[in-house]
Amino acid sequence: RRKVQTRKEGSEMSSSDSDSSDDEMQDVEEIDEGLIDRLEVKVRSNPYDEEGQKEYIAALQKKGDFLRLREARNTLNYYFPLTQEQWQSWINDELSIAEKDVVEGLFQRALAAYPSIAMWQLYLEQWIHRMESEEPTEDTKKTIHQIILKALDAATTPIESQLWSTSRQLAKLIKDDTLVNNIFRQQLGVPLPDVKATLDEFEKFKGSDLGDGLKKHATTSLEKYKLREPFEKAVSTSTSSWEPWENYIEFELKQKEPSKNSLITSLYERGLQVPALRTLDTWIAYGQFVEANFDKDPAKALGIWERACDSLKWSGLLWASKLRAMTLGP
């Protein structure tokens, strides 16, 4: 909204100046409200106008009308999949006005759509903020324990992230030293470049030497990262082609890693965070991989097909895959 001078901002204003300023303020408000009303009519008459819906949301966000903004975002999400940035913006707005259970529900929806490192990072940071101001109950500790384990599934990928240290910070807040210890050990088993810093931090936490066995294990992880470094560089610059990701996945399929399937699912998830790569072929390849390799967890495959259908609502093939997966449920 354009800023209008008021009596407090001006020096001395005549009666006519004051009337003019008041009229100007009223005009600006009417223009803003008129714009919002027109955009609302536009999206209600054609909810498939994605750009119109985004424009309406931007206007409501600028105005600070959070209740209508929540309704508008729910409408957009009903007709179109939200981007990760749109989920994060929604969550940040709700954090300032909503009850904890509302924010929690929104996080669950966002993580179902984008179980990415960035989204998990935001979620854990919110829990840290809560635990810094309240004493956790035993049930809360159990909940946080499970949240951290799920978050670290997203971190099982050869890229450095704050998710490991954030998970440890949260585990320390609930005074779970065993969990902190396990997070360190899990991180040292993932192919990552900065092994020495993790070893030093772990040793400081334990207050004693870690032993040659664990150090050798960490060195092996570093060697595994070096094998993957060329693939990491290739996918980091790919914004429109699935080929570098496919080459990376084919490499992982040839490895004899115990965590091979987790590494491959993390690659699919990372690739699908690139809007141009959220294609029918990518979703089908991902869903079929999960069905073939996680056959004891049919809910996992069903979750992939549900997200795929949300992403590409027009695809009959994806809906058929979802229906088939539903028949294989527990």
Side-chain angles (χ1 to χ4, degrees), residues 5 11-12 17 30 32 116 156 167 169 195 220 226 250 271 274:
Q5 187 183 41
S11 50
E12 290 187 3
D17 290 337
E30 286 177 354
D32 277 357
S116 64
T156 306
S167 298
Q169 183 182 353
V195 170
T220 301
K226 291 178 179 178
E250 289 177 355
V274 182

Side-chain angles (χ1 to χ4, degrees), residues 71-91:
E71 181 184 1
R73 281 167 161 158
N74 275 312
T75 300
L76 175 63
N77 186 219
Y78 179 82
Y79 290 98
F80 302 98
L82 301 187
T83 66
Q84 181 169 265
E85 292 72 20
Q86 287 171 326
W87 281 113
Q88 290 172 330
S89 177
W90 188 354
I91 288 169

